[in-house]
Amino acid sequence: MSKTRLILQQYKKDVMNLVECAKEINSRNDQEKIFAECFYSLNKNEQFSPSRNSLTTSLLRRILNLYVLLFILAISIYILLNVHQPTSSLVLRNVQGFIYPGLKFLRILSVPIIKKLPLLTGLYDESCLIENPYFYVHEMECWPCYNVYSFIEITGTQNQSTYSSGIPHITKTSHKPVHFDDLKDIYDQNKYYFHKESGSIRSSSNSVTNLEELFSQNVEALSSSDIHVSWRINRMLPARIMRSVFPKPESLSERSGQSVERFIFIDGAKAHPYMLPGMECSYISVRQAIGQRTIVLKPSAECSKKCRTVSLVLNSSVILWYNWWYWRPVSLPIVNATDLAISYISSYC
């Protein structure tokens, strides 16, 4: 016989003995009264001690009701401010005096967080923290990509206003090609500034996670690999340093303003295709500093039914110009390529 069964039998025997003793000491009415009082006490405790599940459900219901109330209140205020002009004017007139003190107070509150997480200071230079993937322009005019079958070279053309509107074209530059060793020399001379203000890169290789590891690589090994490195520069000092190797294109007028944000892409001969990023300004240039890449311009979602896909092989010292509103570019490797490719992307307003 198992130990559990023996314990149960002993427990049953003890209970029967207890019942017999109760019968001898008290009458049956007294037993019923005692049991009734016990059951009443148990029912009372259950009634006034709700379970944890009921408490959680009640709390969730109250939070949900609060969210619904706040949502309705926010929608009502938004509609009131946009529909009722006197209310909107009254609110704006009285709120403007609190904007600067409120932002100052918010900054004071954020100081302890910045001290604990200093990497957050990099967000100050971001023009957009979260890009809207559902952004779409209804009824956008797509005439700059109508009837585009190839890329026109306009180097030296006097009147370039037509092409500045968004028609894709190419120009040749007299600036010398930029090799990997040139970038390495610039990095060695300004290592402190790059690590401080533009030291982050993205790479398809686990062995290259920062600039120091990138420029310690062998050029021949990089050239024959499938590595893709994206070096983003979005601060003024590193951008000014890079002007010595990537000066402003000759075809741009002096009035053209260049954004601070720019990208340097370093691709091995077998690097996989990737999309070129959206930039701060819509007028974008892609300069092939060295090597070759195939650039495919796909029409944007707004113009996909009216325009067609075009492509070209971008050679060294050639600049591709396009407008981000109408095109979504993809960079692909050249078949049977053996050289390293370096691309420089910037935008103009």
Side-chain angles (χ1 to χ4, degrees):
M1 184 177 294
S2 65
K3 184 177 180 179
T4 304
R5 186 177 292 276
L6 289 174
I7 293 174
L8 289 175
Q9 286 185 353
Q10 183 63 39
Y11 175 75
K12 184 179 179 180
K13 184 178 179 180
D14 293 340
V15 171
M16 296 301 297
N17 292 334
L18 181 62
V19 171
E20 293 296 330
C21 291
K23 288 180 179 179
E24 294 177 359
I25 297 174
N26 301 313
S27 63
R28 182 174 182 82
N29 293 332
D30 293 335
Q31 292 183 42
E32 292 179 355
K33 183 179 179 181
I34 292 172
F35 282 117
E37 290 178 354
C38 293
F39 287 129
Y40 175 76
S41 177
L42 290 174
N43 291 333
K44 186 176 180 181
N45 290 335
E46 290 181 357
Q47 181 178 359
F48 290 98
S49 301
S51 64
R52 181 174 296 180
N53 290 334
S54 62
L55 286 174
T56 304
T57 305
S58 178
L59 181 61
L60 290 176
R61 187 180 296 108
R62 291 182 180 180
I63 294 175
L64 181 60
N65 292 336
L66 180 60
Y67 272 113
V68 172
L69 181 61
L70 291 176
F71 178 76
I72 295 175
L73 182 62
I75 293 295
S76 302
I77 294 175
Y78 177 80
I79 294 175
L80 181 62
L81 293 178
N82 283 272
V83 174
H84 195 251
Q85 187 62 35
T87 303
S88 177
S89 302
L90 179 64
V91 172
L92 290 177
R93 186 166 57 250
N94 290 277
V95 167
Q96 286 179 352
F98 296 97
I99 292 177
Y100 180 76
L103 293 177
K104 184 178 180 180
F105 180 69
L106 183 62
R107 181 176 177 82
I108 294 174
L109 292 178
S110 66
V111 168
I113 301 176
I114 296 298
K115 288 183 178 179
K116 294 290 184 180
L117 302 171
L119 292 176
L120 293 178
T121 56
L123 300 178
Y124 290 163
D125 300 290
E126 297 292 340
S127 59
C128 177
L129 296 180
I130 302 176
E131 185 176 347
N132 182 8
Y134 304 104
F135 177 75
Y136 187 88
V137 180
H138 293 278
E139 300 181 358
M140 186 173 76
E141 295 184 3
C142 298
W143 67 266
C145 65
Y146 285 166
N147 302 321
V148 174
Y149 301 95
S150 60
F151 298 87
I152 302 174
E153 182 186 343
I154 63 169
T155 306
T157 303
Q158 297 296 326
N159 186 12
Q160 299 183 5
S161 59
T162 302
Y163 300 98
S164 299
S165 60
I167 299 175
H169 58 277
I170 60 174
T171 58
K172 292 184 178 179
T173 177
S174 59
H175 301 146
K176 64 178 182 179
V178 180
H179 299 267
F180 184 79
D181 290 337
D182 298 325
L183 294 179
K184 184 176 181 181
D185 292 339
I186 291 291
Y187 167 74
D188 291 336
Q189 297 169 12
N190 304 275
K191 185 180 298 185
Y192 171 78
Y193 301 108
F194 283 131
H195 279 285
K196 182 180 178 182
E197 301 191 16
S198 287
S200 61
I201 64 173
R202 292 184 178 181
S203 170
S204 60
S205 173
N206 295 329
S207 61
V208 178
T209 59
N210 53 56
L211 290 175
E212 187 173 359
E213 292 177 351
L214 171 63
F215 290 111
S216 64
Q217 299 290 318
N218 182 272
V219 180
E220 287 74 16
L222 288 176
S223 301
S224 59
S225 67
D226 61 350
I227 191 172
H228 166 66
V229 178
S230 173
W231 181 11
R232 181 173 180 256
I233 299 173
N234 67 328
R235 293 194 176 185
M236 185 61 69
L237 181 58
R240 188 183 299 116
I241 293 173
M242 296 308 298
R243 286 182 190 172
S244 60
V245 289
F246 295 108
K248 189 177 182 179
E250 305 97 320
S251 59
L252 281 177
S253 64
E254 294 296 330
R255 294 175 296 177
S256 300
Q258 183 178 8
S259 68
V260 177
E261 182 189 35
R262 57 207 65 191
F263 286 86
I264 298 176
F265 290 151
I266 301 175
D267 299 301
K270 301 176 183 179
H272 299 292
Y274 56 86
M275 291 194 66
L276 300 187
M279 308 289 286
E280 292 181 2
C281 297
S282 58
Y283 194 44
I284 300 176
S285 69
V286 182
R287 174 185 169 184
Q288 196 61 33
I290 197 69
Q292 294 178 316
R293 292 289 291 182
T294 298
I295 305 297
V296 177
L297 292 186
K298 297 182 178 181
S300 61
E302 295 88 343
C303 301
S304 59
K305 296 181 180 179
K306 303 175 183 178
C307 305
R308 56 179 54 82
T309 300
V310 291
S311 64
L312 85 159
V313 175
L314 197 61
N315 297 311
S316 178
S317 299
V318 175
I319 302 177
L320 167 65
W321 302 86
Y322 66 91
N323 193 312
W324 185 86
W325 286 95
Y326 310 107
W327 305 99
R328 298 293 184 269
V330 179
S331 178
L332 298 93
I334 299 293
V335 179
N336 298 325
T338 58
D339 297 329
L340 192 71
I342 300 178
S343 306
Y344 176 76
I345 304 177
S346 58
S347 60
Y348 301 86
C349 301

